[in-house]
Amino acid sequence: MVTFIAVPFVAFVTKVYSKFYDKISENLQQTIADANNMAEEVISTMRTVRSFACEKREQKRFENLLSSTLSVNRKRALAYMGYTWNNEFCDNAILIAVLAYGGHLVLTGKMGKEQLITFLLYQMQLGENLYNLSYVMSGLMEAVGASRKVFNLMNRKPQFELDGVKKPHVNGNITFSHVGFTYPTRPNNPVLKDLTLNIKAGETVALVGPSGGGKSSIVSLIEHFYEPNEGTITLDGMHIKDINHIYYHQKVALVAQEPVLYNGSVRHNILYGCDFATEDDMLNAAKMANVHGFVMELEKGYDTNCGEKGVQMSGGQKQRIAIARALVRNPAVLILDEATSALDTESESLVQQALSRCAQERTVIIIAHRLSTIEKASKIAVIVKGQLVQMGAHDELMLDTDGMYYSLVSRQMLNAKVGDE
Ligand SMILES: Nc1ncnc2c1ncn2[C@@H]1O[C@H](COP(=O)(O)OP(=O)(O)OP(=O)(O)O)[C@@H](O)[C@H]1O
Ligand SMILES: [Mg+2]
């Protein structure tokens, strides 16, 4: 009886403690993750940090994050100390109580000396085992706290599945019908509203409009990064979500507004995700995108490393490698989101020539600000605040002198003239 008198108390303390320890372990993981994230972000954007002379400030920010890790760790250590202290205290208190009561029983002759010693030995062993159990408990709670996040991530349901299976022959007819779209992170800011747009196979369509109007968002929807909230997007009359993911992205290629290169050779970057292409395909694409010339001047040619995120390439070279990467898969639909904005006029016109050569047998969607690029498109769609306000060929749209396109073009011509003077 005396031995077990403290058990309910110890059990209660253990329960409270384990709850607390579990929570604090989770907190600790979070603060470590925050500090690591920050370090990674700052190191990968070191050039920006240095150019704004924010080294000290970032150092301070990191220090603050580390000190919050420290304070959580301190709390955890204190809790552990309290718990162990409590356990030891109960252990010793029981020992004293057993000795006192047992001594009393021996002295009054109700119990033999041998029996008391045997009992004490058993009790010590039991105490030791319970003590070890508390160790296991702490470890277990720590693991539970840390693993909760892992399980949360593992159990996360994707908002939509990439489970399309169809592999149809693609001509390149893209239709948006009454598409409404809002980014999940900003549910109150609709980006596209009732957008209906038809891009016929083989056409080159330019999307123009003010910045923030939703052009890149249209591209993200065609690339199936998101699903529209309303309406449908079809390729040759088939819902794009029904088409096999890998097949779809072989047929629809994108050169993004901010192209990303990987740490690896130029060859690796051009052939990215395109196992079926041969060395000749790669060379052809590189020549078309005007990559071949500058790569041949580099000591290692196509084996030259591009650096992490392509830092060892110039902005224009990155864009051209990204164009070659899109062309190498010989897509039916080619999307260029300001893909030539970082090129000088001469390289741009070379790349433009190459693009218009390969535009003949495919659908091209091009987003650009330069008039010279836009006016060659067979159709121009003017997107303002997520809506299609005008669509037609350059000459046609220029006739409407009150239209958005006319004012965009006249402003640009004015700029060009000022630039010439
Ligand atoms: N990932 C995102 N999450 C939330 N909102 C976004 C996201 N990307 C863009 N937006 C918002 O959606 C709107 C449309 O952006 P979008 O990038 O489509 O414009 P854009 O027409 O391509 O502009 P630009 O000519 O400057 O490239 C903007 O108001 C922008 O702030
Ligand atoms: Mg954009």
Side-chain angles (χ1 to χ4, degrees):
M1 262 308 275
V2 174
T3 311
F4 292 105
I5 205 152
V7 167
F9 177 66
V10 172
F12 174 73
V13 171
T14 306
K15 193 162 162 39
V16 172
Y17 166 77
S18 60
K19 217 168 183 176
F20 180 72
Y21 202 76
D22 170 15
K23 213 174 116 207
I24 216 158
S25 296
E26 198 178 347
N27 264 350
L28 185 68
Q29 290 292 331
Q30 188 58 49
T31 55
I32 293 174
D34 287 347
N36 284 348
N37 275 349
M38 188 212 142
E40 197 198 313
E41 190 191 357
V42 168
I43 290 168
S44 66
T45 57
M46 192 38 91
R47 285 168 189 231
T48 315
V49 175
R50 286 193 71 165
S51 67
F52 288 93
C54 287
E55 295 94 337
K56 282 271 176 299
R57 190 176 305 202
E58 296 295 359
Q59 194 180 334
K60 188 92 202 127
R61 202 153 69 97
F62 187 53
E63 224 172 274
N64 286 344
L65 287 175
L66 284 188
S67 40
S68 64
T69 309
L70 181 68
S71 84
V72 175
N73 231 338
R74 197 176 284 147
K75 263 193 225 160
R76 195 170 77 146
L78 278 175
Y80 185 66
M81 191 184 79
Y83 179 62
T84 337
W85 185 85
N86 176 65
N87 274 0
E88 285 287 325
F89 179 79
C90 289
D91 207 26
N92 287 327
I94 291 170
L95 192 64
I96 292 170
V98 168
L99 276 176
Y101 186 59
H104 168 74
L105 288 182
V106 172
L107 286 180
T108 50
K110 290 187 183 148
M111 196 194 222
K113 285 180 287 199
E114 300 79 7
Q115 269 174 317
L116 179 63
I117 289 175
T118 322
F119 182 78
L120 272 177
L121 284 176
Y122 277 133
Q123 197 217 343
M124 271 171 162
Q125 218 162 33
L126 183 73
E128 184 121 329
N129 288 339
L130 287 179
Y131 190 71
N132 284 341
L133 217 63
S134 80
Y135 260 122
V136 174
M137 190 80 178
S138 309
L140 212 64
M141 283 303 134
E142 194 173 339
V144 168
S147 64
R148 189 163 303 129
K149 196 149 189 192
V150 177
F151 282 113
N152 278 348
L153 285 176
M154 276 166 66
N155 293 336
R156 233 173 71 148
K157 288 249 174 336
Q159 289 184 339
F160 59 90
E161 301 275 351
L162 297 174
D163 55 0
V165 285
K166 294 183 185 163
K167 293 185 176 179
H169 174 75
V170 174
N171 294 319
N173 212 324
I174 292 183
T175 309
F176 275 59
S177 78
H178 304 288
V179 169
F181 176 61
T182 308
Y183 281 99
T185 43
R186 291 194 204 146
N188 298 323
N189 278 8
V191 175
L192 301 180
K193 289 164 230 153
D194 197 27
L195 181 85
T196 297
L197 179 68
N198 188 10
I199 299 170
K200 294 204 186 76
E203 264 182 355
T204 297
V205 173
L207 301 180
V208 299
S211 177
K215 303 179 295 294
S216 298
S217 308
I218 294 179
V219 170
S220 302
L221 287 175
I222 299 178
E223 281 285 305
H224 205 202
F225 298 150
Y226 302 93
E227 291 238 307
N229 306 96
E230 291 153 27
T232 52
I233 303 168
T234 56
L235 175 65
D236 295 338
M238 189 173 290
H239 280 280
I240 59 170
K241 63 168 188 263
D242 295 334
I243 302 173
N244 175 277
H245 173 65
I246 295 175
Y247 182 77
Y248 183 74
H249 288 279
Q250 273 166 21
K251 296 294 173 193
V252 178
L254 165 72
V255 182
Q257 193 161 6
E258 286 143 18
V260 174
L261 298 190
Y262 295 98
N263 192 7
S265 63
V266 175
R267 177 182 288 105
H268 167 78
N269 271 289
I270 296 180
L271 289 175
Y272 182 69
C274 191
D275 309 324
F276 51 86
T278 60
E279 181 77 10
D280 279 346
D281 295 337
M282 200 263 315
L283 285 174
N284 273 338
K287 281 178 189 154
M288 264 202 265
N290 209 5
V291 169
H292 193 69
F294 82 80
V295 166
M296 280 299 127
E297 284 171 19
L298 298 170
E299 197 187 330
K300 289 190 191 159
Y302 283 95
D303 294 316
T304 311
N305 195 359
C306 296
E308 204 167 313
K309 291 193 183 156
V311 285
Q312 293 172 20
M313 291 286 156
S314 79
Q317 290 170 344
K318 261 196 279 192
Q319 284 194 330
R320 282 180 275 172
I321 295 175
I323 295 174
R325 179 197 286 166
L327 290 178
V328 76
R329 52 196 67 218
N330 195 16
V333 180
L334 180 63
I335 307 171
L336 305 160
D337 191 350
E338 298 188 27
T340 51
S341 60
L343 301 186
D344 60 90
T345 337
E346 199 190 322
S347 343
E348 189 187 12
S349 76
L350 282 174
V351 175
Q352 284 299 341
Q353 278 167 19
L355 286 177
S356 48
R357 237 180 293 134
C358 61
Q360 279 153 12
E361 67 265 28
R362 64 190 100 224
T363 310
V364 179
I365 299 170
I366 184 161
I367 301 177
H369 287 301
R370 271 187 218 168
L371 184 63
S372 54
T373 318
I374 301 165
E375 64 185 357
K376 288 193 209 103
S378 40
K379 262 190 198 159
I380 296 157
V382 185
I383 311 285
V384 181
K385 292 191 179 152
Q387 279 171 323
L388 179 69
V389 294
Q390 275 182 304
M391 187 152 177
H394 173 75
D395 300 334
E396 232 171 276
L397 294 181
M398 284 305 279
L399 293 178
D400 181 4
T401 48
D402 296 328
M404 185 73 197
Y405 186 69
Y406 185 83
S407 71
L408 278 174
V409 170
S410 30
R411 241 179 290 158
Q412 201 173 65
M413 288 220 248
L414 208 65
N415 283 344
K417 272 199 194 125
V418 173
D420 289 345
E421 276 164 13

